[in-house]
Amino acid sequence: MVHFAHHTAYSGGMTWSRPSTRVRDLIRQSAQIIVNGPPEWLAELDTAVLGANPSIAADPELAGAVSRSNQANLFFWATANVRDPGAPVPPNPGPEPMTVARELVRRGLDAYALDAYRVGEGVAWRRLMQIAFELTSDPAELHEFLDVCSRSISAFVDATLSAIAAQIDLERDELTRGTHAERRETVALILDGAPIARRRAEGRLGYALTGLHTAAVIWSDDPKGDLARLDGAAEALGHAAGGARPLSVLASTATRWVWVPGSVTVDASALRRSVSDMPDVRIAIGPSGNGMDGFRRSHFDAITTQQLMARLGSPQQIALFTDVQLVALITADADRAAEFVTHTLGDLESASAELQDTVRTFVAEQCNASRAATRLYTHRNTLLRRLARADGLLPRPLGEASVNVAVALDVVRWRGNRG
């Protein structure tokens, strides 16, 4: 028989109900299991949170910040209950929740996006219940355990969300006073199609809005790294586009929105060389567009490219919209795209990158073996042997389905070979 708690004072003059010794031991065991939990538990948390918030999932930087914050909160609560089981857990003051506040403000999002934490709370609560039922079957123990932990988790999440909301207010005040605020606001007005006069916008941006523009999104997968490299990547983009000085806008802590003026063709090879020592920096490039409308369209196509790279977990560091436009359409429905790839490629889906690249190049050269061999710097007979091997892996001969095979291989290229 479990005897319920007595009240004990704690800091702040409030009281809490101290669980019985047996339930404190159960809470400590459960919390220790969570602290040492397998990576699959964190993956389940991420999947649920991002799946319920497509606007967050589509933004790789914000998705990463929310993911790190949810995981940090889980460990914060669990380690607190290893130290003092069942005691009230203060809000998490760590950098992860505060980073989420900063990123929400710099995207102009309201605190509604914090609903992601409620989804994470539900996932953690279900996991904790599962652990509890594995540790004890005593009804009284379970009743006290679940009552204490339910109130503890709810109070912890409420307190942490309040701290984040307060930080959002601070970040918003800081942003409106920031030197880049006017430029960011002006770009937002242009992108929204607001009736801001072109000359006024140009004066605020220090950038001509006539002629052609090529937009890019430059971001880092490591927001704790040296973010000055993002500005270096923006300069490298300008050099790769013929030396034009780009317009760079701080979209968030680890993201820059960039525009390069003039009739330019980006030298992707030169750009890759320039950022080869920045493996965490990613660049999505839109097509050129004319005037303010082109300024907008090129940016939105760059955003589409960035979202595709995030959605597919692409290993590619640089992507041009013109290269991924078809893949973006094909993969809009991820499940259908995966079925298409598997149905079209069969065992070629898990073949070596060299073999896949041979088939992709052969189709791109209009199934001309000599031209494909030249482009691949290989002997024609070697290429033919590889094509024969690929034919043996494909469900249908390459000659009967070359277009579909090329599209499917493009999807594999941009998402990485998962075979």
Side-chain angles (χ1 to χ4, degrees), residues 44-311:
E44 177 189 27
L45 183 66
D46 278 350
T47 298
V49 170
L50 298 180
N53 295 270
S55 61
I56 293 177
D59 185 323
E61 186 183 351
L62 183 57
V66 169
S67 173
R68 288 187 295 273
S69 182
N70 273 290
Q71 293 177 15
N73 287 336
L74 179 67
F75 284 114
F76 188 91
W77 183 90
T79 53
N81 276 279
V82 171
R83 292 192 305 269
D84 191 0
V89 180
N92 180 5
E96 295 87 359
M98 299 306 104
T99 296
V100 170
R102 186 176 305 114
E103 299 309 330
L104 289 174
V105 169
R106 290 181 175 176
R107 285 160 174 76
L109 297 175
D110 293 322
Y112 78 87
L114 297 180
D115 289 344
Y117 286 89
R118 296 300 183 189
V119 177
E121 177 185 357
V123 172
W125 175 238
R126 288 192 296 274
R127 177 62 62 185
L128 186 62
M129 284 195 294
Q130 179 182 346
I131 293 171
F133 279 90
E134 291 173 353
L135 292 177
T136 181
S137 59
D138 184 280
E141 290 177 355
L142 284 170
H143 181 272
E144 184 182 359
F145 177 100
L146 296 175
D147 177 65
V148 171
C149 289
S150 173
R151 288 186 286 108
S152 173
I153 291 174
S154 179
F156 167 68
V157 172
D158 285 346
T160 299
L161 290 184
S162 293
I164 294 174
Q167 185 67 23
I168 285 175
D169 290 338
L170 291 175
E171 293 287 343
R172 186 175 288 117
D173 288 343
E174 181 181 335
L175 183 66
T176 56
R177 292 194 302 269
T179 57
H180 69 278
E182 184 178 78
R183 195 187 300 186
R184 176 69 173 82
E185 179 189 11
T186 303
V187 164
L189 290 171
I190 296 171
L191 297 178
D192 287 343
I196 182 172
R198 177 177 60 81
R199 291 188 179 277
R200 181 163 180 255
E202 289 176 337
R204 296 176 73 176
L205 294 175
Y207 177 89
L209 291 168
T210 53
L212 290 170
H213 314 275
T214 301
V217 179
I218 301 176
W219 75 101
S220 172
D221 288 332
D222 180 14
K224 295 180 181 179
D226 179 9
L227 299 181
R229 287 178 298 175
L230 296 176
D231 300 317
E235 292 297 327
L237 174 65
H239 290 305
R245 181 168 181 80
L247 166 67
S248 181
V249 174
L250 179 65
S252 65
T253 305
T255 300
R256 303 289 184 270
W257 289 348
V258 179
W259 286 263
V260 179
S263 179
V264 299
T265 299
V266 176
D267 185 339
S269 296
L271 183 57
R272 286 188 185 93
R273 289 192 296 272
S274 297
V275 300
S276 61
D277 61 342
M278 312 175 189
D280 62 300
V281 173
R282 316 287 296 281
I283 304 176
I285 304 171
S288 296
N290 193 49
M292 290 179 70
D293 186 54
F295 182 95
R296 279 191 292 269
R297 285 188 292 104
S298 185
H299 171 75
F300 291 136
D301 286 343
I303 291 289
T304 297
T305 305
Q306 180 198 29
Q307 291 173 346
L308 175 133
M309 296 170 77
R311 186 170 68 244

Side-chain angles (χ1 to χ4, degrees), residues 308-328:
L308 175 133
M309 296 170 77
R311 186 170 68 244
L312 299 185
S314 176
Q316 307 296 332
Q317 187 176 17
I318 299 171
L320 280 71
F321 178 77
T322 50
D323 291 339
V324 304
Q325 185 174 13
L326 180 57
V327 175

